Amino acid sequence: MIEYRLPVRQLRILLLLMLAVPAAARKTSVTPEMDKLLMAGVDDIYMMRFAQAEADMAQAIALDPAYPHAYFGRAAIDLITFIYGENQGDPALLKSFEDKTLESIKAAEKYLKAHPNDPDALFILGASHGMFGRLAIVQRRWLQAFGHGRASM
C-alpha cells in the first residue's frame, strides 16, 4: 500500500482551487444592469438614503419582475429603517417588513420553479427566511422563528 501525503501548503492550494473553479465557472443570474441597480440600492442603504434605496429596488423589479433580489432588498430596507432610521421603532414598518419578506420568499420560490437550483435565488430564499426568523426571535415568536430558521437552511 502506497501512502501519499501532500504538504500542508500544497493541500491548501489544492483546496482553494477546488473551491474557486466551480465558483468562477458558474454563471450568475444577475445581469450587469440589475447588478448596478442592486449595488446602488445597497450603497443607498449604507448611506441611510432609504427612499432612494427603495427607488433603486423598484427600478430593479421593473427591469425583471421575476428576479427575487430586489424584493429581498425592499424587505431589508424596512428592517434597517426600523432599527436605524428616523422612524425607529415604528410598528407600521414591522408589518411592511413582514409583508415584503413574504413577497421575497414567494418571488424566490417562484423563480426557483423556473430555474431549479439557481444559487442566487437559493441565497435569497434562505436569507429571506433567516431575516424573518431573526425578527421572530426578537419578538419571542418561537415557533415562527423555528419555522423560518429551518426553512432558511
Side-chain angles (χ1 to χ4, degrees):
M1 181 166 144
I2 299 173
E3 206 173 278
Y4 183 75
R5 292 184 182 194
L6 284 174
V8 174
R9 183 168 181 261
Q10 287 179 342
L11 183 60
R12 285 183 188 161
I13 292 171
L14 181 62
L15 287 174
L16 284 173
L17 286 173
M18 289 171 58
L19 293 172
V21 170
R26 83 166 174 85
K27 292 183 180 178
T28 180
S29 49
V30 180
T31 64
E33 188 176 0
M34 176 72 73
D35 187 54
K36 183 178 176 184
L37 288 169
L38 295 171
M39 292 312 298
V42 170
D43 289 343
D44 288 331
I45 291 171
Y46 280 118
M47 298 302 290
M48 297 183 75
R49 297 186 300 242
F50 301 121
Q52 182 57 47
E54 188 71 43
D56 295 331
M57 296 305 158
Q59 281 184 285
I61 290 170
L63 183 65
D64 185 357
Y67 196 68
H69 264 79
Y71 296 99
F72 176 75
R74 291 178 68 224
I77 292 165
D78 280 358
L79 183 62
I80 293 168
T81 302
F82 178 80
I83 296 170
Y84 300 110
E86 293 174 8
N87 300 332
Q88 201 171 45
D90 181 0
L93 281 172
L94 287 181
K95 175 66 175 134
S96 178
F97 164 76
E98 288 179 4
D99 292 344
K100 289 177 182 175
T101 303
L102 292 174
E103 183 181 28
S104 175
I105 290 167
K106 287 176 186 174
E109 289 173 340
K110 185 177 178 182
Y111 193 85
L112 283 166
K113 283 181 183 175
H115 307 89
N117 297 320
D118 179 85
D120 296 324
L122 287 168
F123 167 75
I124 292 302
L125 181 61
S128 296
H129 278 294
M131 193 165 59
F132 201 107
R134 175 68 175 104
L135 177 64
I137 287 171
V138 170
Q139 295 177 327
R140 297 176 186 261
R141 296 185 298 183
W142 307 118
L143 290 176
Q144 192 175 40
F146 172 78
H148 283 288
R150 187 166 187 231
S152 72
M153 299 165 100

